[in-house]
């Protein structure tokens, strides 16, 4: 009596093999893309610091809708001949909270040449005036949301930071551990006729 072929033996190719052949390279490509994007954002954040520029994480919504909480503003120090212009974003000492800074927009100059500043979302000017030589930086580059996870962790909400870290670690693991190709499933030999 001849052995009946099993269902697996009658399939020309295993569905699992087909799925793995397409899904593993796609997952690996997505992981490489995530890591490349993360590296590019990190480079945009860190490279300007090599030229003496500074960075500040925005901690409030006072500059919404253009600058959000958790965005990083990269600033260059003002040149000796710098002339303030209305509309420029500057980092200045916060005279209401000594030891802290504000990153707000210049909205004008008073009659003594001091800067009037205001957050884009605020209904009134900052309650102080800033001398031109007190400006710590002129906004040059905005890196969206890169500082949000760290900001939330500082405020006692580590969930986003932990999630972001796990995603990066998982992507690294996928890129480093997955094989570049998946072997074809081996063909099953037909049972000999009896």
């Amino acid at each position: 009596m001849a052995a009946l072929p099993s269902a697996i033996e009658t399939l020309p190719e295993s569905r699992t093999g087909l799925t793995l052949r397409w899904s593993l390279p796609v997952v690996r490509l997505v992981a490489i893309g995530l890591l490349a994007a993360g590296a590019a954002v990190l480079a945009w954040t860190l490279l300007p610091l090599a030229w003496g520029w500074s960075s500040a994480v925005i901690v409030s919504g006072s500059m919404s809708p253009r600058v959000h909480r958790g965005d990083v503003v990269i600033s260059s120090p003002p040149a000796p001949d710098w002339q303030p212009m209305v509309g420029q974003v500057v980092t200045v000492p916060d005279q209401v909270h000594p030891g802290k800074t504000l990153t707000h927009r210049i909205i004008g100059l008073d009659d003594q040449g001091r800067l009037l500043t205001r957050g884009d979302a605020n209904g009134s000017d900052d309650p102080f005036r800033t001398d031109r030589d007190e400006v710590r930086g002129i906004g040059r580059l905005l890196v969206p949301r890169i500082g949000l996870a760290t900001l939330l962790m500082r405020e006692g909400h580590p969930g986003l930071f932990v999630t972001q870290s796990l995603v990066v670690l998982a992507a690294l693991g996928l890129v480093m551990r997955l094989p570049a190709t998946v072997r074809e499933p081996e063909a099953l030999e037909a049972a000999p006729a009896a």
Side-chain angles (χ1 to χ4, degrees), residues 5-6 8 10-11 19 24 50-51 55-57 63 72 76-77 85 87 90 123 132 166 193:
S6 71
I8 293 175
T10 59
L11 289 175
T19 302
L24 289 178
W51 288 287
S55 63
V57 176
M63 286 295 288
V72 173
S76 68
M85 295 185 310
V90 292
R132 194 182 82 151
L166 290 175

Side-chain angles (χ1 to χ4, degrees), residues 3-24:
L4 294 174
S6 71
I8 293 175
E9 292 172 324
T10 59
L11 289 175
E13 184 174 294
S14 166
R15 289 237 185 251
T16 305
L18 180 64
T19 302
L20 286 177
R21 186 171 359 132
W22 288 101
S23 64
L24 289 178

Side-chain angles (χ1 to χ4, degrees), residues 10 14 25 41 45 86 88 114 117 120 123 131 149 165 174 180 183:
T10 59
S14 166
V41 168
T45 305
V86 171
Q88 281 183 315
R114 295 179 298 179
T117 55
D120 292 350
D131 289 325
S165 300
L174 285 170
R183 292 188 320 182

Side-chain angles (χ1 to χ4, degrees), residues 20-84:
L20 286 177
R21 186 171 359 132
W22 288 101
S23 64
L24 289 178
V26 169
V27 168
R28 188 173 191 191
L29 185 63
V30 168
I32 290 170
L34 285 172
L35 289 173
V41 168
L42 192 61
W44 273 103
T45 305
L46 296 178
L47 283 178
L49 303 181
W51 288 287
W53 292 17
S54 61
S55 63
V57 176
I58 303 302
V59 298
S60 74
S62 68
M63 286 295 288
S64 293
R66 291 186 180 169
V67 181
H68 300 279
R69 188 173 186 280
D71 290 352
V72 173
V73 174
I74 309 285
S75 302
S76 68
D81 61 344
W82 173 67
Q83 294 299 317

Side-chain angles (χ1 to χ4, degrees), residues 74-160:
I74 309 285
S75 302
S76 68
D81 61 344
W82 173 67
Q83 294 299 317
M85 295 185 310
V86 171
Q88 281 183 315
V89 174
V90 292
T91 300
V92 298
D94 184 349
Q95 297 173 18
V96 176
H97 303 98
K100 297 191 176 198
T101 59
L102 283 176
T103 302
H104 280 177
R105 192 174 305 280
I106 299 173
I107 58 159
L109 301 171
D110 68 8
D111 52 354
Q112 297 173 338
R114 295 179 298 179
L115 282 64
L116 303 168
T117 55
R118 178 192 307 172
D120 292 350
N122 294 347
S124 60
D125 301 347
D126 293 331
F128 54 84
R129 305 296 178 253
T130 305
D131 289 325
R132 194 182 82 151
D133 59 350
E134 291 179 309
V135 173
R136 303 243 177 108
I138 302 165
R140 300 293 184 190
L141 180 67
L142 178 68
V143 185
R145 306 290 185 171
I146 190 73
L148 186 59
T150 305
L151 180 64
L152 289 174
M153 190 174 90
R154 254 192 289 173
E155 294 173 348
H157 307 289
L160 183 60

